Amino acid sequence: MNAGQPVSPAATALDDARPQDRYLAVTHDVVNQPPALEDYNLFDQDPALKEAVAREGGDATAAGLSEFGALAGARETIELGFRANENKPAFHTHDRFGNRIDQVEFHPAYHQLMAIAMEHGLHSSPWTNPGQGAHVNRAAKYYLHSQVEAAHCCPITMTFAAIPSIRKQPELAALWEDRILANHYDSRNVPDGQKQSVTIGMAMTEKQGGSDVRANSTRAYPVGAEGPGQAYELVGHKWFVSAPMCDAFLVLAQTTNGLSCFLMPRWRPDGSKNPWQIQRLKNKMGNVANASSEAELRGALSWMVGDEGRGVPTIIEMVAMTRFDCMIGSSAGMRQAVAQATHHCRHRSAFGNRLIEQPLMQNVLADLALESEAAMAYTLRIARALDNQHLEHERLLARLATPVGKYWICKRTPNHAYEAMECIGGNGVMEDCIMPRLLRESPVNAVWEGSGNVQCLDTLRAIQKEPETLDAFFREAAEAKGSDVRFDRFLAQLQNDFADFSDIQYRARNLVDRLALAMQASLLLRGSDPAVADAFCAARLQSNGGLNYGNLPSGTDAAAIIKRATPVVG
Ligand SMILES: Cc1cc2nc3c(=O)[nH]c(=O)nc-3n(C[C@H](O)[C@H](O)[C@H](O)COP(=O)(O)OP(=O)(O)OC[C@H]3O[C@@H](n4cnc5c(N)ncnc54)[C@H](O)[C@@H]3O)c2cc1C
């Protein structure tokens, strides 16, 4: 210390400190790091979502989307997502006395996220309160919640999606529906008879075939009378069963008359454990807060749902809804990735300027934002179609647009997550950032509920079985005709290419890609900010050689696109 210089209290304290504390003390100020992206409103700060909800017939006020957006953005809620993923579920075959229990233990944070989802009707609202905007409102809420944590959304989706299938057997629906739709979460491992609310899973996939479930070898033996609604015992195995602590499952098994669908509770009506044994938990790369299992059925008591031998058409009602939720989940993953990337770049500087102002980073961020908004706009349009299934156009549209969108949106997500991660630099690769989780989560939706090729083949099946689906799809897309010459050209070429059905399976991905792009462009041209629609047409409908993100052409209003996508925090 120089004599005569003013002495600061901190310096005096340092001088008084022991030598080792002095060296541990102030080394530098932390600067040029963003504030945490928390305590913000995921709905209010997402203009594209707000507009889409209104456009597709939702009612943000009635659905409480702003309040829910605040909850989803609260630091405490975000923290639940991290805790649930840091603490993977643990499987216990037996209790300490040797009794078989088949119990999966989840971290309390997982249960809290489940409770939030169910208390807000993410598994129930379009069934309990159907009509104008019901699916749109629910999809928007799911989109917000899934940005916090995606894994627990799996049982929420399955519980939601089970309703159309279970309704095919009215006496079973009468027993189960009220409890499935209760806006309450009961995590207790007790017989369903003791519960006011239950969750539902699905068990189709076996070792020898997941896409081709006709290969299922699990057998169903009638206990007494045979046929729909009757009791059977199931013997066999299932290779993937997610959320194995669900209270009941829709299961596929063979009777003498073919593959049929069954409702299998985890407990028998007398309160004893149904002989359904979990072998082990899957060691998943993503979706780790939720458990997925391998299981054996050793005479598990079940009831037939729908017609005997019509298991696939019965469970496909559930599958269609889960595919729709895959679209919401993947769109939500992209939205969260864009929020993280733009937020970081808004606060971080390099080479004398904020990253968000650097032209090359602007190109990448705007491109990521386009992809995210296009996915969300497509998803909410399908939500409107689900709200209007009594209208023929909407029914046909939902039939074709669901496999197209499931394929495209889920397929676009992993590379999007990876690029958004890179925008954040080294911090983006660290486990205390949400980006590694978003990246690991991203391939799961693409495989689950029918992988990419299976969705493309389902698209072709829909067109071949019901050609009107393609007419409806093109009719819808053509609503934007005349607003952009690039779009008009793209649509005309695509329609032309459907005139030739030779080699159609081989070309299916190319055709489905372009169907998705045509619909996304149409929706953005009709409803989004002109800068977004213009950039989408320029970047996605015209091939200019660039395959990575960051290939928007000169003249794009990247700043406007980024501003629209950036949550303002700090
Ligand atoms: C995390 C996770 C959770 C899951 N949870 C469940 C669950 O709860 N319940 C459940 O029943 N299942 C569940 N699954 C299983 C999932 O649905 C299947 O993995 C999926 O359907 C694919 O089946 P598979 O693994 O047998 O692959 P396969 O059917 O062998 O397919 C392999 C590849 O071949 C492609 N393919 C198949 N047929 C064709 C064809 N004709 N032409 C061209 N390509 C083709 C597929 O697209 C895929 O890319 C889960 C999977 C994962 C990853």
Side-chain angles (χ1 to χ4, degrees):
M1 190 71 59
N2 291 337
Q5 296 260 324
V7 178
S8 77
T12 311
L14 265 181
D15 284 346
D16 292 345
R18 294 170 306 162
Q20 65 268 35
D21 289 345
R22 217 180 289 160
Y23 294 119
L24 287 176
V26 186
T27 60
H28 66 290
D29 290 331
V30 176
V31 294
N32 199 21
Q33 291 282 348
L37 181 54
E38 58 190 25
D39 290 330
Y40 73 115
N41 189 313
L42 266 69
F43 183 72
D44 291 353
Q45 297 243 23
D46 188 346
L49 175 65
K50 288 164 83 172
E51 290 166 21
V53 167
R55 190 166 66 232
E56 304 303 353
D59 184 338
T61 309
L65 292 180
S66 181
E67 293 78 4
F68 195 71
L71 176 64
R75 194 182 64 77
E76 295 76 15
T77 316
I78 292 169
E79 189 65 18
L80 293 177
F82 280 90
R83 294 290 86 81
N85 279 274
E86 283 160 8
N87 300 278
K88 290 188 186 181
F91 172 46
H92 308 290
T93 49
H94 296 81
D95 67 11
R96 67 194 177 103
F97 306 107
N99 299 303
R100 181 94 201 185
I101 51 170
D102 293 290
Q103 186 156 359
V104 181
E105 195 183 318
F106 294 90
H107 190 265
Y110 172 91
H111 292 305
Q112 282 172 269
L113 288 163
M114 287 290 291
I116 292 174
M118 294 188 76
E119 282 161 17
H120 289 86
L122 296 193
H123 66 301
S124 64
S125 56
W127 312 129
T128 52
N129 198 12
Q132 177 71 7
H135 278 283
V136 175
N137 291 338
R138 183 252 173 196
K141 236 180 214 178
Y142 188 112
Y143 181 78
L144 299 171
H145 192 57
S146 173
Q147 288 182 56
V148 177
E149 206 291 309
H152 79 285
C153 290
C154 166
I156 296 298
T157 281
M158 294 192 292
T159 303
F160 163 70
I163 287 290
S165 291
I166 291 180
R167 282 183 178 169
K168 287 189 168 260
Q169 204 56 51
E171 69 275 30
L172 287 179
L175 275 177
W176 286 88
E177 188 165 320
D178 285 352
R179 289 180 296 156
I180 295 172
L181 296 179
N183 283 358
H184 169 67
Y185 174 56
D186 187 341
S187 66
R188 290 175 306 148
N189 185 26
V190 297
D192 61 79
Q194 298 175 26
K195 289 185 162 191
Q196 299 305 311
S197 80
V198 294
T199 51
I200 307 289
M202 69 201 303
M204 300 184 291
T205 308
E206 296 184 4
K207 288 174 184 153
Q208 68 281 4
S211 307
D212 188 2
V213 291
R214 294 169 309 175
N216 273 193
S217 64
T218 297
R219 307 276 332 162
Y221 299 96
V223 173
E226 298 180 30
Q230 298 301 328
Y232 287 73
E233 286 179 345
L234 308 188
V235 179
H237 83 281
K238 293 291 165 182
W239 184 227
F240 280 92
V241 185
S242 288
M245 296 310 280
C246 283
D247 297 285
F249 300 83
L250 285 178
V251 183
L252 289 180
Q254 306 279 2
T255 68
T256 46
N257 292 314
L259 196 61
S260 307
C261 181
F262 296 88
L263 182 71
M264 187 206 70
R266 272 198 307 118
W267 303 81
R268 289 174 175 244
D270 65 4
S272 64
K273 199 174 157 310
N274 215 358
W276 146 275
Q277 292 185 350
I278 298 171
Q279 302 302 299
R280 59 175 175 172
L281 296 190
K282 294 287 192 187
N283 189 6
K284 297 186 284 185
M285 68 163 276
N287 205 255
V288 299
N290 177 41
S292 297
S293 66
E294 297 163 15
E296 289 195 350
L297 304 98
R298 299 167 179 268
L301 190 60
S302 308
W303 285 264
M304 187 182 281
V305 182
D307 290 339
E308 187 170 2
R310 302 280 297 159
V312 172
T314 303
I315 210 164
I316 207 78
E317 303 266 343
M318 179 176 188
V319 171
M321 296 311 302
T322 55
R323 286 178 178 172
F324 172 63
D325 272 17
C326 289
M327 284 161 54
I328 314 176
S330 290
S331 303
M334 285 199 248
R335 169 61 197 152
Q336 181 58 207
V338 167
Q340 293 289 337
T342 52
H343 170 75
H344 178 87
C345 293
R346 180 169 165 260
H347 290 277
R348 177 87 168 171
S349 296
F351 302 100
N353 267 325
R354 289 188 303 159
L355 287 173
I356 209 164
E357 289 155 358
Q358 310 268 10
L360 183 51
M361 183 58 96
Q362 286 188 328
N363 199 329
V364 175
L365 290 174
D367 210 354
L368 290 170
L370 287 185
E371 192 71 37
S372 161
E373 181 169 345
M376 181 276 297
Y378 187 107
T379 301
L380 287 204
R381 176 63 189 92
I382 307 313
R384 170 149 68 99
L386 294 175
D387 279 329
N388 292 283
Q389 285 294 284
H390 56 287
L391 304 174
E392 185 64 354
H393 172 75
E394 302 292 314
R395 184 189 71 75
L396 293 166
L397 183 65
R399 172 65 189 95
L400 194 63
T402 302
V404 170
K406 199 277 188 184
Y407 161 72
W408 176 253
I409 292 170
C410 298
K411 187 67 68 190
R412 295 291 287 176
T413 308
N415 199 36
H416 186 276
Y418 153 67
E419 279 289 357
M421 174 186 259
E422 193 171 311
C423 293
I424 299 173
N427 286 2
V429 187
M430 299 302 128
E431 289 289 355
D432 50 9
C433 172
I434 196 173
M435 285 312 310
R437 174 150 46 102
L438 293 182
L439 181 63
R440 283 198 305 268
E441 203 71 46
S442 63
V444 176
N445 278 342
V447 172
W448 197 50
E449 298 302 330
S451 327
N453 287 354
V454 170
Q455 299 307 310
C456 293
L457 294 174
D458 191 43
T459 303
L460 297 185
R461 191 176 308 114
I463 295 170
Q464 277 159 343
K465 207 170 157 197
E466 216 175 355
E468 302 79 23
T469 55
L470 189 61
D471 300 338
F473 197 98
F474 281 134
R475 195 163 52 246
E476 175 76 23
E479 297 220 345
K481 244 171 141 175
S483 50
D484 187 291
V485 68
R486 296 160 297 190
F487 171 75
D488 291 353
R489 222 179 286 131
F490 187 88
L491 190 65
Q493 181 65 53
L494 179 59
Q495 282 181 290
N496 200 43
D497 289 351
F498 269 100
D500 173 16
F501 259 68
S502 63
D503 229 8
I504 192 84
Q505 281 202 15
Y506 191 72
R507 295 186 292 123
R509 279 201 180 208
N510 176 273
L511 292 170
V512 177
D513 283 357
R514 290 155 67 209
L515 280 173
L517 285 170
M519 186 60 78
Q520 289 186 323
S522 170
L523 290 165
L524 296 178
L525 282 166
R526 284 183 278 152
S528 180
D529 185 289
V532 172
D534 174 63
F536 192 87
C537 291
R540 303 290 192 271
L541 305 187
Q542 292 180 304
S543 171
N544 53 6
L547 294 176
N548 282 324
Y549 284 105
N551 264 288
L552 302 182
S554 298
T556 303
D557 192 350
I561 299 168
I562 295 167
K563 185 160 184 259
R564 179 175 169 83
T566 308
V568 178
V569 174

